[in-house]
Amino acid sequence: NESKMAGSKAVDSVINNFWDKYDADKSGYLDKDECKAFIIEMLGNMKKAKKLKDEFFENMFKQFDVD
């Protein structure tokens, strides 16, 4: 049980670090620019960042943005 709690705390820490890095305005949400920064970095790590076209990102963001 202690092992599960330690694992859960580790996951929470990773998520909090991720959120702190990309939620630049500390709103608790990733706005369009913050989301794009995250995606570009992740694609960059996969050597595909230059292939992310603005139009594609705009369409994708509209599909997932609920507010």
Side-chain angles (χ1 to χ4, degrees):
N1 215 5
E2 287 181 32
S3 175
K4 286 182 183 180
M5 287 176 39
S8 178
K9 286 181 181 181
V11 169
D12 287 348
S13 177
V14 168
I15 291 170
N16 288 335
N17 288 336
F18 161 82
W19 211 256
D20 288 344
K21 180 175 181 177
Y22 293 102
D23 185 20
D25 62 4
K26 306 301 181 213
S27 67
Y29 301 92
L30 294 183
D31 65 24
K32 184 167 57 173
D33 292 334
E34 293 164 340
C35 185
K36 189 172 185 179
F38 165 72
I39 291 171
I40 287 172
E41 183 170 330
M42 292 303 108
L43 290 175
N45 290 338
M46 297 184 306
K47 309 276 191 246
K48 297 183 181 189
K50 292 182 180 180
K51 295 182 180 182
L52 180 65
K53 304 278 188 219
D54 285 337
E55 183 178 349
F56 173 80
F57 175 78
E58 293 291 330
N59 289 331
M60 182 183 68
F61 189 82
K62 286 177 186 175
Q63 290 179 5
F64 291 100
D65 186 29
V66 294
D67 59 15

